[in-house]
Amino acid sequence: RLSGPSGTGMGLPAAVRDRVAAAHRASALPERLRLYDGWAARYEQDVAALEYRAPHLAAASLAFAFPPRVGARLLDVACGTGLVARELHRRGFRCLHGVDGSAGMLERARSTGLYQELRLCVLGREPLPAPAEHYDAVTVVGALGEGQVPSTVLPELLRVTKPGGFLCLTTRSNPSNLRYKAELEAALGQLERSGAWQKLLAQEVEYWERATTEEESTQGNGYISGVVYIYQKCPVPHLQEG
């Protein structure tokens, strides 16, 4: 077991720990969006300090399941400042659309020049701004967690994915997110049993990001673990409600 500042999140600047903790705390939506708007300018600096690996891991997993092809259209849900887009672009994906609930985050994402389209959308409160079966792949990296996007959004992600298309989702395995993770995995399994999609990958990663507290460290090693899931929407279109 690592101890002391070098082995735990206690080695992180207090301001970084506070901002990360606030983002994962259950709070009213307007307050949460204000937090992200205010965090946008420092977000990438903070997640670099956290050694946050989810964008890299998710993009690598998706590219393995779905090698980039010309014209493939991807939707980056809860795109933030564009960390996932950078990783996807590096792997050959060029037609990237993004949505996020924070105007401040979208402004940063726009400055990357990597997205062909960016839209404001609070997932869980409103539908995605896209027609049915529009995207070859959909990613939700870092937003499926306690106090963030509810697991009830899964059917909406499926709605905008083409039959045979891919969905790349992530969540954390730290103690304060275990209840959410269990709910998410129950919903993932229910959709698989219904024939909506099939699971291609559920990869548990030990060193996901640095823990902000000793209690949150998954293995007592100073880091949080997390999971990358890859699902493929079943090629036979299913009847959908609504």
Side-chain angles (χ1 to χ4, degrees), residues 87-99:
E87 295 289 344
L88 291 170
H89 196 267
R90 282 180 50 213
R91 288 165 175 78
F93 293 103
R94 293 292 180 265
C95 185
L96 304 174
H97 294 183
V99 297

PDB file of all heavy atoms in Angstrom, residues 87-99:
ATOM      1  N   GLU A  87      -8.500  12.272 -28.859  1.00  0.00           N
ATOM      2  CA  GLU A  87      -8.074  10.871 -28.927  1.00  0.00           C
ATOM      3  C   GLU A  87      -8.680  10.156 -30.140  1.00  0.00           C
ATOM      4  O   GLU A  87      -8.026   9.348 -30.799  1.00  0.00           O
ATOM      5  CB  GLU A  87      -8.461  10.144 -27.637  1.00  0.00           C
ATOM      6  CG  GLU A  87      -7.753  10.660 -26.396  1.00  0.00           C
ATOM      7  CD  GLU A  87      -6.273  10.295 -26.362  1.00  0.00           C
ATOM      8  OE1 GLU A  87      -5.854   9.396 -27.119  1.00  0.00           O
ATOM      9  OE2 GLU A  87      -5.534  10.915 -25.573  1.00  0.00           O
ATOM     10  N   LEU A  88      -9.946  10.456 -30.446  1.00  0.00           N
ATOM     11  CA  LEU A  88     -10.589   9.846 -31.615  1.00  0.00           C
ATOM     12  C   LEU A  88      -9.942  10.339 -32.908  1.00  0.00           C
ATOM     13  O   LEU A  88      -9.708   9.565 -33.838  1.00  0.00           O
ATOM     14  CB  LEU A  88     -12.083  10.170 -31.611  1.00  0.00           C
ATOM     15  CG  LEU A  88     -12.917   9.504 -30.515  1.00  0.00           C
ATOM     16  CD1 LEU A  88     -14.317  10.099 -30.473  1.00  0.00           C
ATOM     17  CD2 LEU A  88     -12.988   7.989 -30.726  1.00  0.00           C
ATOM     18  N   HIS A  89      -9.659  11.625 -32.949  1.00  0.00           N
ATOM     19  CA  HIS A  89      -9.037  12.222 -34.138  1.00  0.00           C
ATOM     20  C   HIS A  89      -7.666  11.589 -34.394  1.00  0.00           C
ATOM     21  O   HIS A  89      -7.313  11.294 -35.544  1.00  0.00           O
ATOM     22  CB  HIS A  89      -8.921  13.736 -33.946  1.00  0.00           C
ATOM     23  CG  HIS A  89      -8.664  14.484 -35.211  1.00  0.00           C
ATOM     24  ND1 HIS A  89      -7.398  14.798 -35.647  1.00  0.00           N
ATOM     25  CD2 HIS A  89      -9.513  14.978 -36.148  1.00  0.00           C
ATOM     26  CE1 HIS A  89      -7.483  15.454 -36.791  1.00  0.00           C
ATOM     27  NE2 HIS A  89      -8.748  15.576 -37.119  1.00  0.00           N
ATOM     28  N   ARG A  90      -6.913  11.375 -33.342  1.00  0.00           N
ATOM     29  CA  ARG A  90      -5.595  10.745 -33.470  1.00  0.00           C
ATOM     30  C   ARG A  90      -5.699   9.353 -34.076  1.00  0.00           C
ATOM     31  O   ARG A  90      -4.751   8.869 -34.711  1.00  0.00           O
ATOM     32  CB  ARG A  90      -4.928  10.628 -32.092  1.00  0.00           C
ATOM     33  CG  ARG A  90      -4.308  11.917 -31.574  1.00  0.00           C
ATOM     34  CD  ARG A  90      -3.681  11.695 -30.206  1.00  0.00           C
ATOM     35  NE  ARG A  90      -2.801  10.533 -30.206  1.00  0.00           N
ATOM     36  CZ  ARG A  90      -2.615   9.721 -29.170  1.00  0.00           C
ATOM     37  NH1 ARG A  90      -3.271   9.921 -28.048  1.00  0.00           N
ATOM     38  NH2 ARG A  90      -1.776   8.705 -29.256  1.00  0.00           N
ATOM     39  N   ARG A  91      -6.846   8.717 -33.870  1.00  0.00           N
ATOM     40  CA  ARG A  91      -7.029   7.349 -34.362  1.00  0.00           C
ATOM     41  C   ARG A  91      -7.754   7.301 -35.702  1.00  0.00           C
ATOM     42  O   ARG A  91      -8.138   6.232 -36.148  1.00  0.00           O
ATOM     43  CB  ARG A  91      -7.780   6.526 -33.301  1.00  0.00           C
ATOM     44  CG  ARG A  91      -6.898   6.221 -32.115  1.00  0.00           C
ATOM     45  CD  ARG A  91      -7.664   5.733 -30.904  1.00  0.00           C
ATOM     46  NE  ARG A  91      -6.745   5.354 -29.831  1.00  0.00           N
ATOM     47  CZ  ARG A  91      -6.133   6.209 -29.025  1.00  0.00           C
ATOM     48  NH1 ARG A  91      -6.376   7.513 -29.145  1.00  0.00           N
ATOM     49  NH2 ARG A  91      -5.293   5.791 -28.100  1.00  0.00           N
ATOM     50  N   GLY A  92      -7.955   8.454 -36.314  1.00  0.00           N
ATOM     51  CA  GLY A  92      -8.475   8.473 -37.681  1.00  0.00           C
ATOM     52  C   GLY A  92      -9.933   8.830 -37.836  1.00  0.00           C
ATOM     53  O   GLY A  92     -10.445   8.866 -38.959  1.00  0.00           O
ATOM     54  N   PHE A  93     -10.644   9.101 -36.736  1.00  0.00           N
ATOM     55  CA  PHE A  93     -12.042   9.505 -36.847  1.00  0.00           C
ATOM     56  C   PHE A  93     -12.098  11.000 -37.165  1.00  0.00           C
ATOM     57  O   PHE A  93     -11.477  11.808 -36.474  1.00  0.00           O
ATOM     58  CB  PHE A  93     -12.799   9.222 -35.546  1.00  0.00           C
ATOM     59  CG  PHE A  93     -12.945   7.758 -35.242  1.00  0.00           C
ATOM     60  CD1 PHE A  93     -12.138   7.144 -34.289  1.00  0.00           C
ATOM     61  CD2 PHE A  93     -13.884   6.985 -35.915  1.00  0.00           C
ATOM     62  CE1 PHE A  93     -12.271   5.789 -33.994  1.00  0.00           C
ATOM     63  CE2 PHE A  93     -14.020   5.626 -35.636  1.00  0.00           C
ATOM     64  CZ  PHE A  93     -13.205   5.028 -34.678  1.00  0.00           C
ATOM     65  N   ARG A  94     -12.852  11.366 -38.172  1.00  0.00           N
ATOM     66  CA  ARG A  94     -12.854  12.753 -38.637  1.00  0.00           C
ATOM     67  C   ARG A  94     -14.212  13.448 -38.551  1.00  0.00           C
ATOM     68  O   ARG A  94     -14.278  14.669 -38.438  1.00  0.00           O
ATOM     69  CB  ARG A  94     -12.357  12.811 -40.098  1.00  0.00           C
ATOM     70  CG  ARG A  94     -10.888  12.434 -40.266  1.00  0.00           C
ATOM     71  CD  ARG A  94      -9.974  13.483 -39.639  1.00  0.00           C
ATOM     72  NE  ARG A  94      -8.559  13.149 -39.785  1.00  0.00           N
ATOM     73  CZ  ARG A  94      -7.832  12.515 -38.873  1.00  0.00           C
ATOM     74  NH1 ARG A  94      -8.394  12.125 -37.751  1.00  0.00           N
ATOM     75  NH2 ARG A  94      -6.563  12.256 -39.083  1.00  0.00           N
ATOM     76  N   CYS A  95     -15.300  12.682 -38.616  1.00  0.00           N
ATOM     77  CA  CYS A  95     -16.632  13.296 -38.584  1.00  0.00           C
ATOM     78  C   CYS A  95     -17.189  13.190 -37.169  1.00  0.00           C
ATOM     79  O   CYS A  95     -17.845  12.212 -36.811  1.00  0.00           O
ATOM     80  CB  CYS A  95     -17.558  12.610 -39.587  1.00  0.00           C
ATOM     81  SG  CYS A  95     -19.172  13.406 -39.706  1.00  0.00           S
ATOM     82  N   LEU A  96     -16.867  14.212 -36.359  1.00  0.00           N
ATOM     83  CA  LEU A  96     -17.214  14.192 -34.941  1.00  0.00           C
ATOM     84  C   LEU A  96     -18.248  15.264 -34.622  1.00  0.00           C
ATOM     85  O   LEU A  96     -18.065  16.430 -34.962  1.00  0.00           O
ATOM     86  CB  LEU A  96     -15.964  14.424 -34.092  1.00  0.00           C
ATOM     87  CG  LEU A  96     -14.794  13.456 -34.309  1.00  0.00           C
ATOM     88  CD1 LEU A  96     -13.579  13.897 -33.500  1.00  0.00           C
ATOM     89  CD2 LEU A  96     -15.189  12.032 -33.938  1.00  0.00           C
ATOM     90  N   HIS A  97     -19.321  14.863 -33.967  1.00  0.00           N
ATOM     91  CA  HIS A  97     -20.317  15.791 -33.435  1.00  0.00           C
ATOM     92  C   HIS A  97     -20.255  15.693 -31.910  1.00  0.00           C
ATOM     93  O   HIS A  97     -19.970  14.621 -31.372  1.00  0.00           O
ATOM     94  CB  HIS A  97     -21.726  15.425 -33.906  1.00  0.00           C
ATOM     95  CG  HIS A  97     -21.920  15.580 -35.379  1.00  0.00           C
ATOM     96  ND1 HIS A  97     -23.136  15.358 -35.999  1.00  0.00           N
ATOM     97  CD2 HIS A  97     -21.067  15.923 -36.379  1.00  0.00           C
ATOM     98  CE1 HIS A  97     -23.016  15.571 -37.301  1.00  0.00           C
ATOM     99  NE2 HIS A  97     -21.764  15.900 -37.555  1.00  0.00           N
ATOM    100  N   GLY A  98     -20.544  16.792 -31.234  1.00  0.00           N
ATOM    101  CA  GLY A  98     -20.507  16.770 -29.779  1.00  0.00           C
ATOM    102  C   GLY A  98     -21.701  17.460 -29.169  1.00  0.00           C
ATOM    103  O   GLY A  98     -22.253  18.402 -29.748  1.00  0.00           O
ATOM    104  N   VAL A  99     -22.103  16.991 -27.993  1.00  0.00           N
ATOM    105  CA  VAL A  99     -23.135  17.677 -27.200  1.00  0.00           C
ATOM    106  C   VAL A  99     -22.651  17.753 -25.757  1.00  0.00           C
ATOM    107  O   VAL A  99     -21.937  16.868 -25.269  1.00  0.00           O
ATOM    108  CB  VAL A  99     -24.512  16.961 -27.253  1.00  0.00           C
ATOM    109  CG1 VAL A  99     -25.069  16.946 -28.654  1.00  0.00           C
ATOM    110  CG2 VAL A  99     -24.427  15.552 -26.676  1.00  0.00           C
TER     111      VAL A  99
END
